[in-house]
Amino acid sequence: QVQLQESGGGSVQAGGSLRLSCAASGDTYNMLCMGWFRQAPGKEREGVAAIFTFGNITYYTDSVKGRFTISQDKSKNTLYLQMNSLTAEDTGMYYCAAGGRGGFCLIRDDYSMWGQGTQVTVSS
């Protein structure tokens, strides 16, 4: 029913910036949260940033606070992630997700819809 498509990934040098976009189609009104998750090889998929879609409340994992900014444009049904001051540790596949519970939007298992991912590679 709901489809999510990420874009904006690529390769960048350390200290650079990227802006990811997630275009959503279908009925997303039952999804309380939208978020960005990332996964590096051999590691668990982790929550990076998320937003409670109705209250515009944002959540960030500690490692990206002050560097990443999540935002949404409801009129375009699009989610964004602005990533600044990138480091090699930010390298991974970034996934857009919709779902959640609304109380805390960085819980991976609470999400029901996922995009295919966009690769972010940061070189030193």
Side-chain angles (χ1 to χ4, degrees):
Q1 301 290 350
V2 177
Q3 293 185 343
L4 305 173
Q5 185 172 16
E6 305 94 336
S7 62
S11 298
V12 64
Q13 291 187 333
S17 299
L18 286 172
R19 191 187 194 194
L20 306 183
S21 298
C22 173
S25 61
D27 186 6
T28 62
Y29 290 103
N30 292 329
M31 307 298 178
L32 295 177
C33 302
M34 294 192 70
W36 292 96
F37 293 75
R38 68 187 179 191
Q39 187 169 24
K43 296 184 178 180
E44 291 283 328
R45 188 175 301 183
E46 64 174 346
V48 177
I51 186 168
F52 177 63
T53 58
F54 297 102
N56 202 34
I57 300 170
T58 58
Y59 308 82
Y60 298 94
T61 190
D62 287 342
S63 64
V64 308
K65 288 181 179 178
R67 299 189 297 120
F68 291 9
T69 303
I70 189 171
S71 61
Q72 64 177 338
D73 187 337
K74 290 186 175 182
S75 66
K76 298 179 180 179
N77 209 17
T78 301
L79 185 73
Y80 303 97
L81 183 66
Q82 179 67 47
M83 305 186 295
N84 298 327
S85 301
L86 287 163
T87 72
E89 287 69 38
D90 295 314
T91 293
M93 184 71 72
Y94 283 69
Y95 298 90
C96 176
R101 298 285 186 179
F104 183 70
C105 292
L106 284 175
I107 302 176
R108 180 190 60 200
D109 291 344
D110 285 348
Y111 284 82
S112 57
M113 303 300 300
W114 295 85
Q116 293 184 336
T118 184
Q119 179 68 38
V120 172
T121 303
V122 184
S123 61
S124 300

